[in-house]
């Protein structure tokens, strides 16, 4: 049966807040994974730009003794070349982890706010994100 207008509004805010928290958790997880995987690229490009005379031209000892303009250019090119495969690796790691943790199953439909008696989980298991523990392994997150 349908909920009253105020109850529907309250449940909409609860479900919206929970979905926003799940989204932020996914975003944080993605940020951490991409930062860790792309760290070699970030470091290589940083040192390349730091020591190149046309960009920053740092007066650090390693820039004066080890890296000249040619080697700085090589570092910049190497950093951008290895970036593409590392982005693919980072996305594969994130997707695998999100599928294993069933993070996309934690999003709740707004129909729970409109009608009474709806389950918090589309499958057995109960509770918010409870279906991540007791679901069938054949169930897809996008169904």
């Amino acid at each position: 049966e349908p909920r009253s207008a105020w109850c529907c509004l309250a449940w909409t805010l609860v479900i919206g807040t929970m979905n926003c928290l799940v989204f932020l958790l996914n975003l944080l997880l993605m940020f951490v994974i991409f930062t860790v995987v792309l760290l070699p690229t970030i470091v290589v490009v940083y040192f390349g730009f730091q020591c190149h005379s046309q960009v920053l031209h740092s007066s650090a000892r390693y820039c004066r003794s080890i890296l000249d303009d040619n080697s700085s250019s090589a570092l910049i090119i190497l950093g951008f070349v290895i970036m593409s495969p590392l982005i693919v690796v980072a996305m594969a790691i994130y997707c695998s982890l999100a599928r294993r943790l069933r993070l996309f199953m934690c999003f709740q439909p707004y129909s729970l706010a409109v009608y009474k008696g709806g389950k918090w989980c589309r499958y057995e298991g109960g509770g918010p994100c409870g279906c991540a523990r007791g679901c069938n392994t054949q169930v897809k997150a996008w169904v």
Side-chain angles (χ1 to χ4, degrees), residues 10 12 17 23 33 36 38 60 63 79 104 109 125-126 129 135 137:
T12 301
T17 303
F23 173 75
I33 289 172
V36 169
L38 291 175
C63 288
F104 299 118
C129 299
C135 279
T137 57

Side-chain angles (χ1 to χ4, degrees), residues 26-97:
N26 277 305
L27 200 64
L28 177 68
L29 181 67
M30 186 183 298
F31 176 76
V32 167
I33 289 172
F34 271 76
T35 302
V36 169
V37 171
L38 291 175
L39 192 61
T41 297
I42 295 168
V43 169
V44 167
V45 170
Y46 172 75
F47 281 119
F49 279 122
Q50 174 110 16
C51 295
H52 200 281
S53 66
Q54 300 296 319
V55 185
L56 294 177
H57 193 58
S58 174
S59 61
R61 194 177 100 220
Y62 56 85
C63 288
R64 285 182 278 128
S65 62
I66 299 173
L67 297 174
D68 59 352
D69 279 352
N70 291 333
S71 58
S72 296
S73 297
L75 281 179
I76 294 168
I77 292 169
L78 175 69
F80 284 113
V81 167
I82 65 173
M83 185 184 302
S84 296
L86 288 180
I87 287 174
V88 172
V89 168
M91 197 64 204
I93 291 171
Y94 168 73
C95 289
S96 173
L97 192 59

